């Protein structure tokens, strides 16, 4: 880490990110029907603190106030997602105008604030009626996604700066259908691979649908949580274990989406799990639509080594027999994730070397820590004199923004960085117990309270430098 100031390229985008189910609440308002996460939350034991998304950060009603916070932060972009069950509440039913109108208000307020919307169409809140028909294991879901994407393009028109089809299909497929730790809670590697393929297909069809409405100029992206997998040693066995993990963590998405083809090693390695007959002729070409930017979510690296005694049965990913995940090292965040900013630097540098014409954007990065609110008369007046001192989140933020700077210096083409998250929010199977916000939410009162990390991000974003 250098102590010198690094100025980011002109036009570099600083933003904050959230996702509909994690912040909106208003679960039963304006015609919204259940998503798979509403169903999943209703089963005792699925969410560690027994909570759900019924209220969350009440963003559905408080977006104006939160856009004011973003103005104070000085960010140029907001990465948000659309709740599919607000837009198409019934199977095959009409588009719900009340849902559309809500997002039009948000998008218009953002425009007025000079904040560019980076809109994710799918951040895991699949309509429950589609899960009832098989969810992502069913090919029809990809087709439904394209219809939904086209309807949004038509309704939002030029209000969206960047369209992101999917957030982290890795999680949607492998946690949703592989380990069952996320909604819909299915544990079946064959379904997980079908889900991978149908998510990929949904992405390709979705890009086509948006461009069919808005033309080739529509800026299209997808967000992947590519795993920065490191092998425990240089031994051929450990390197093979890493290659096996990479195949299913990264290549299964990058191959078709960026290169228009699956690495045949994937088919071979998953023999006995599935025969991939769901991959029909022509699918790979549909999936490989040209992209304007690739979104990367990064939190921590994973370490693996070869261990023939390890069964892959409980791995979220398929075909991981003999691949042992190693425990994270160093000071862990509240998620029990390691802190390794070099992982972000290396990931960006390697991706840019491999895909030199594809700009990258860090669409999520952040850390969870328990926070405490202090009274602080020295705090800037807009904080109202209450502040959270969160030195660990500040240090994580600084180190990771530095890592992005290092990647850019090493030649990576990175066009933006989004802090996860604007607000503390519903952290999926961990409920409200983990706080990722750079602004705190008091869930009793819905009060927003500045954290030092928010102030630090404000400094970075305003200076375009670290
Ligand atoms: C991402 N894992 O989720 C999501 O995009 C966010 O919605 C989420 O809040 C954030 O990261 C922090 O977790 C993940 O278990 C959730 O490996 C779980 C995992 C990875 C990413």
């Amino acid at each position: 880490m250098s102590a010198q100031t690094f100025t980011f390229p002109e036009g570099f985008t600083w933003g904050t990110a959230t996702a509909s189910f994690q912040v909106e609440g208003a679960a039963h308002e304006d015609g919204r029907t259940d998503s798979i996460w509403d169903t999943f939350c209703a089963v005792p034991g699925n969410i560690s603190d027994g909570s759900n998304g019924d209220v969350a950060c009440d963003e559905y009603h408080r977006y104006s106030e939160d856009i004011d916070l973003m103005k104070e932060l000085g960010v140029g972009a907001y990465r948000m997602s659309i709740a599919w069950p607000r837009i198409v509440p019934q199977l095959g039913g009409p588009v719900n105008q009340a849902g559309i109108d809500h997002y039009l208000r948000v998008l218009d307020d953002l425009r007025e604030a000079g904040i560019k919307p980076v809109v994710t169409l799918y951040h895991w809140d699949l309509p429950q009626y589609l899960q009832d028909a098989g969810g992502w294991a069913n090919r029809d879901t990809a087709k439904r996604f394209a219809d939904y994407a086209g309807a949004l393009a038509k309704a939002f028109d030029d209000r969206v700066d960047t369209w992101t089809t999917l957030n982290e299909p890795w999680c949607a497929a492998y946690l949703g259908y592989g380990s069952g730790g996320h909604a819909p809670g299915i544990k079946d590697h064959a379904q997980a691979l079908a889900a991978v393929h149908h998510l990929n297909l949904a992405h390709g069809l979705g890009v086509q649908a948006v461009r069919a409405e808005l033309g080739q100029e529509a800026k299209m992206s997808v967000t992947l949580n590519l795993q920065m997998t490191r092998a425990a040693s240089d031994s051929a066995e450990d390197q093979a274990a890493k290659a096996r993990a990479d195949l299913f963590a990264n290549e299964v998405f990058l191959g078709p989406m960026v290169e228009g083809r699956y690495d045949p090693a994937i088919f071979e390695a998953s023999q006995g799990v599935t025969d991939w007959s769901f991959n029909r002729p022509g699918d790979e070409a549909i999936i490989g639509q040209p992209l304007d930017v690739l979104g990367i979510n990064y939190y921590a690296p994973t370490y693996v080594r070869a261990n023939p005694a390890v069964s892959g049965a409980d791995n979220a990913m398929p075909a991981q027999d003999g691949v042992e995940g190693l425990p994270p090292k160093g000071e862990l965040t509240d998620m029990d994730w390691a802190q390794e900013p070099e992982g972000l630097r290396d990931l960006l540098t390697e991706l840019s070397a491999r895909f030199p014409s594809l700009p990258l954007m860090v669409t999520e990065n952040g850390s969870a820590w328990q926070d405490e609110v202090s009274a602080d008369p020295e705090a800037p007046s807009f904080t109202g004199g209450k502040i959270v001192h969160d030195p660990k989140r500040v240090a994580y933020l600084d180190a990771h923004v530095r890592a992005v700077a290092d990647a850019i210096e090493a030649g990576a083409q990175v066009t933006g960085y989004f802090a996860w998250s604007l607000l503390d929010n519903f952290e999926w199977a961990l409920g409200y117990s983990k706080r990722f916000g750079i602004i705190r939410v008091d869930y009793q009162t819905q009060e927003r309270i500045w954290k030092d990390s928010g102030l630090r991000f404000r400094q970075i974003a305003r200076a375009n430098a670290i």
Side-chain angles (χ1 to χ4, degrees), residues 374-389 450-452 455 458-459:
S374 320
D376 186 346
E378 310 277 290
S381 61
F382 57 81
T383 64
K386 257 193 207 175
I387 193 121
V388 173
H389 295 305
W450 282 80
K451 302 185 191 182
D452 282 339
L455 296 178
R458 179 175 181 273
Q459 232 172 28

Side-chain angles (χ1 to χ4, degrees), residues 130 133-143 177 194-195 198:
L130 287 180
W136 288 111
N138 177 3
R139 186 178 179 90
D140 181 58
T141 299
K143 167 81 178 45
Y177 298 81
H198 296 137

Side-chain angles (χ1 to χ4, degrees), residues 19 22 123-124 167-168 170-171 175 182 225 297 299 335 337 364 420 425 427-428 436:
Q22 295 181 273
H123 200 127
W124 308 353
N167 176 70
E168 300 191 352
W170 186 99
C171 290
L175 302 181
H182 277 190
N225 56 320
N297 292 353
Y299 291 90
M335 298 294 282
W337 293 345
E364 281 181 30
W420 184 270
N425 60 51
E427 180 50 35
W428 307 111
F436 273 95

Side-chain angles (χ1 to χ4, degrees), residues 112-349:
E112 214 166 285
I115 298 171
K116 289 182 187 165
V118 173
V119 173
T120 304
L121 306 188
Y122 184 69
H123 200 127
W124 308 353
D125 36 6
L126 186 74
Q128 179 58 41
Y129 61 76
L130 287 180
Q131 187 55 44
D132 295 341
W136 288 111
N138 177 3
R139 186 178 179 90
D140 181 58
T141 299
K143 167 81 178 45
R144 303 273 173 190
F145 177 79
D147 294 345
Y148 157 68
L152 289 181
K154 190 173 184 153
F156 297 167
D157 197 23
D158 65 355
R159 291 174 179 85
V160 170
D161 180 74
T162 303
W163 298 82
T164 304
T165 52
L166 311 174
N167 176 70
E168 300 191 352
W170 186 99
C171 290
Y174 295 141
L175 302 181
Y177 298 81
S179 71
H182 277 190
I186 291 167
K187 190 176 172 184
D188 173 355
H189 283 145
Q191 281 198 57
L193 281 177
V196 164
H197 182 68
H198 296 137
L199 282 155
N200 284 338
L201 185 62
H203 160 75
L205 292 171
V207 171
Q208 288 182 328
V210 173
R211 288 205 173 120
E213 284 295 336
L214 302 179
Q216 292 304 308
E217 310 81 72
K219 236 200 267 174
M220 301 305 304
S221 72
V222 63
T223 280
L224 302 177
N225 56 320
L226 297 174
Q227 312 284 305
M228 183 24 108
T229 315
R230 310 239 200 224
S233 82
D234 288 338
S235 76
E237 293 78 8
D238 286 349
Q239 292 297 321
K242 168 183 152 51
R244 176 54 67 94
D246 273 342
L247 216 47
F248 290 91
N250 303 329
E251 296 310 316
V252 82
F253 302 108
L254 278 177
M257 286 178 176
V258 185
E259 295 170 323
R261 111 182 237 282
Y262 287 107
D263 182 337
I266 291 170
F267 305 139
E268 210 174 297
S270 51
Q271 271 175 16
V273 177
T274 176
D275 62 5
W276 283 83
S277 52
F278 43 73
N279 179 26
R280 300 197 189 154
D283 283 2
E284 287 164 66
I286 294 172
I287 299 167
Q289 296 303 303
L291 293 178
D292 297 290
V293 58
L294 177 64
I296 303 296
N297 292 353
Y298 174 85
Y299 291 90
T302 25
Y303 282 81
V304 297
R305 73 168 171 214
N307 180 351
V310 163
S311 153
D314 287 328
N315 198 310
M317 297 195 290
Q320 301 297 304
D321 282 345
V323 181
E324 182 185 11
L326 298 180
K329 288 202 191 111
E331 189 188 10
L332 307 185
T333 70
D334 264 14
M335 298 294 282
D336 286 335
W337 293 345
Q339 303 184 68
E340 196 184 300
E342 299 78 13
L344 177 56
R345 179 199 60 202
D346 295 348
L347 183 61
L348 295 170
T349 313

Side-chain angles (χ1 to χ4, degrees), residues 24 26 28-32 60 63 82-89 94-106 152 155-156:
E24 280 182 355
H28 310 291
E29 269 176 63
D30 289 344
R32 180 189 181 278
Y60 195 78
Y63 62 88
I82 308 297
W84 191 347
R86 291 193 192 283
I87 304 300
V88 192
V95 167
N96 174 28
Q97 194 57 41
I100 295 282
D101 287 345
H102 167 74
Y103 292 112
L104 286 176
R105 286 190 292 269
V106 176
L152 289 181
F156 297 167

Side-chain angles (χ1 to χ4, degrees), residues 8-95:
F8 284 81
E10 213 186 303
F12 190 85
T13 299
W14 297 98
T16 54
T18 62
S20 47
F21 192 83
Q22 295 181 273
V23 298
E24 280 182 355
H28 310 291
E29 269 176 63
D30 289 344
R32 180 189 181 278
T33 54
D34 279 352
S35 74
I36 55 175
W37 274 94
D38 298 280
T39 309
F40 191 71
C41 289
V43 178
N46 278 351
I47 311 298
S48 65
D49 61 2
S51 63
N52 59 43
D54 284 1
V55 179
C57 308
D58 194 30
E59 186 67 14
Y60 195 78
H61 302 112
R62 291 171 197 263
Y63 62 88
S64 263
E65 172 191 333
D66 291 335
I67 290 171
D68 287 343
L69 286 174
M70 287 188 255
K71 280 207 283 201
E72 189 56 66
L73 277 165
V75 295
Y78 180 40
R79 177 173 179 259
M80 55 181 277
S81 81
I82 308 297
W84 191 347
R86 291 193 192 283
I87 304 300
V88 192
Q90 261 89 39
L91 180 62
V95 167

